[in-house]
Amino acid sequence: MVHADCFQWLRQVPDNSIDAVVTDPPYGVREYETRELEQRPCGKTGIWRIPPSFDGNSRAPLPRFTALDDGERKTVRHFFHEWVTILLPKLKPGAHVFVACNAFMSQLVFSSLMEGGLEFRTQIIRLIQTLRGGDRPKLGEQEFPDVCSLPRGSYEPWGLFRKPLPKGVTLRQCLRDHGTGGLRRRMDGKPFFDVIPSERTPRRERHIANHPSLKPQSLMRQLVWSALPLGKGTVLDPFMGSGSTIAAAEAVGYRSIGVERHSDYYELAGEAVPKLHALPSHGLTGKLPPHNGQAQLELEAGVPVDPVAHHLVVTSAIDAGCDRAPAGG
């Protein structure tokens, strides 16, 4: 794990050296600024809000990306265009890049990555009942009780991108030369699916890593597993957050690098990764979703994932003068 600004860190990485990227970036840019994080606990001001309660349970704050104005959307586009411009030459030919997003921001984020040179392959749909949308009009709840401003969200889109193969190079050649270009099939031999029934991040995992964008290990282990088609190489998360990608890579026996500039989350990841990694090998810490889908990867295969014994190297390369948004989950 590296304590650094990923933009600066990536500039020092050799070209054609990264096998895959799996990340949940700060796609709103504003939501992880110091001022917004300080306001987050109250859930009433700034970009963070507390969704309404429908079952009596308390809700965690969510960022309101509809609060971004035109100037901030231009900042988002510039942020991702600059990031992919730096990242692209560092990727091996055919390397895949998995980017978490949401339905509201995905067109802006994904188009910026394509304009920067990544090849859009598809969207991976995480089926998960979210708390976005479905609200009655603000201050008009009683006047318009039968109206909702947006549909209630039931999925989370992940963009799947690839560094283009060299001209005239086939997938078979790319796999031979670089070990990249395709996706790893499930352990039961079935193909990796683009729809993944998922659980909400279990409370057990949130107690380990209190990060607002924490994704469950049952999801992350599937994504990370598929990212290296031959099961060899290194997975990078340039916006590491609390380390969920790194823990997933450890759990499936992959090498990984996590880069995080926000000191609090960097320190949290140092404590959280070993604990998340130690969760049951099948990754599911909550009730299985009622689907016979990708979320049952290890259980259907009947083969546990044996973690590879290797050391987690922690370094620090933070530049106090950097002005970047910190990490996602």
Side-chain angles (χ1 to χ4, degrees):
M1 295 189 290
V2 183
H3 187 204
D5 178 280
C6 78
F7 285 70
Q8 294 188 356
W9 182 85
L10 280 168
R11 289 188 175 97
Q12 303 174 35
V13 172
D15 289 352
N16 302 309
S17 63
I18 297 174
D19 299 277
V21 173
V22 180
T23 191
D24 181 8
Y27 43 80
V29 175
R30 260 182 59 191
E31 74 269 29
Y32 290 105
E33 291 178 353
T34 301
R35 180 173 178 271
E36 298 292 346
L37 287 174
E38 290 174 348
Q39 295 178 355
R40 177 176 171 264
C42 69
K44 296 181 179 179
T45 59
I47 198 170
W48 295 90
R49 70 174 183 89
I50 296 180
S53 175
F54 299 96
D55 53 11
N57 294 325
S58 60
R59 303 300 188 191
L62 291 173
R64 297 181 299 115
F65 296 113
T66 52
L68 300 180
D69 59 29
D70 290 341
E72 289 163 337
R73 289 187 175 88
K74 289 181 181 178
T75 299
V76 172
R77 183 176 293 277
H78 175 76
F79 178 87
F80 282 99
H81 191 277
E82 181 183 1
W83 176 64
V84 75
T85 299
I86 300 171
L87 173 67
L88 191 64
K90 311 303 179 180
L91 298 171
K92 290 183 179 180
H96 279 91
V97 178
F98 296 70
V99 179
C101 202
N102 63 48
F104 185 78
M105 296 292 295
S106 60
Q107 290 185 346
L108 176 61
V109 172
F110 294 171
S111 63
S112 299
L113 297 179
M114 287 185 285
E115 290 168 4
L118 283 178
E119 174 188 8
F120 177 77
R121 300 292 285 172
T122 188
Q123 287 190 92
I124 299 171
I125 302 301
R126 176 194 176 199
L127 293 179
I128 177 67
Q129 186 70 53
T130 74
L131 292 174
R132 299 187 188 278
D135 299 333
R136 294 182 173 87
K138 185 177 181 180
L139 303 180
E141 294 88 349
Q142 295 183 355
E143 185 178 1
F144 303 104
D146 298 326
V147 175
C148 57
S149 57
L150 283 171
R152 169 56 52 79
S154 298
Y155 75 97
E156 176 182 84
W158 285 67
L160 180 60
F161 302 87
R162 188 175 70 174
K163 180 176 179 176
L165 304 185
K167 187 174 182 180
V169 174
T170 64
L171 175 57
R172 184 173 59 179
Q173 290 174 304
C174 191
L175 287 167
R176 287 173 176 169
D177 294 342
H178 304 288
T180 55
L183 298 169
R184 193 173 188 182
R185 300 177 78 93
R186 296 175 5 169
M187 285 186 295
D188 59 4
K190 295 180 181 178
F192 176 71
F193 295 146
D194 61 3
V195 176
I196 302 179
S198 180
E199 59 179 340
R200 292 181 182 172
T201 304
R203 185 171 300 178
R204 175 181 175 182
E205 295 182 29
R206 291 198 176 278
H207 285 328
I208 294 174
N210 184 23
H211 189 284
S213 299
L214 184 68
K215 299 296 190 291
Q217 285 294 292
S218 58
L219 169 73
M220 298 308 300
R221 294 179 185 184
Q222 294 174 63
L223 298 179
V224 168
W225 172 268
S226 69
L228 300 180
L230 304 183
K232 301 177 182 179
T234 301
V235 177
L236 169 69
D237 186 349
F239 305 101
M240 178 179 64
S242 57
S244 57
T245 301
I246 308 307
E250 291 277 314
V252 301
Y254 288 174
R255 293 180 297 173
S256 60
I257 300 173
V259 183
E260 172 57 46
R261 76 168 300 271
H262 195 285
S263 59
D264 289 345
Y265 290 143
Y266 171 74
E267 293 173 3
L268 173 61
E271 298 178 0
V273 167
K275 297 176 182 178
L276 292 172
H277 164 220
L279 292 173
S281 60
H282 56 69
L284 288 167
T285 57
K287 184 178 180 182
L288 280 170
H291 306 279
N292 183 24
Q294 183 91 9
Q296 300 183 35
L297 166 135
E298 291 93 349
L299 297 183
E300 288 182 351
V303 180
V305 178
D306 293 323
V308 172
H310 57 280
H311 297 287
L312 208 60
V313 179
V314 182
T315 65
S316 181
I318 190 69
D319 181 349
C322 297
D323 185 20
R324 296 287 180 195

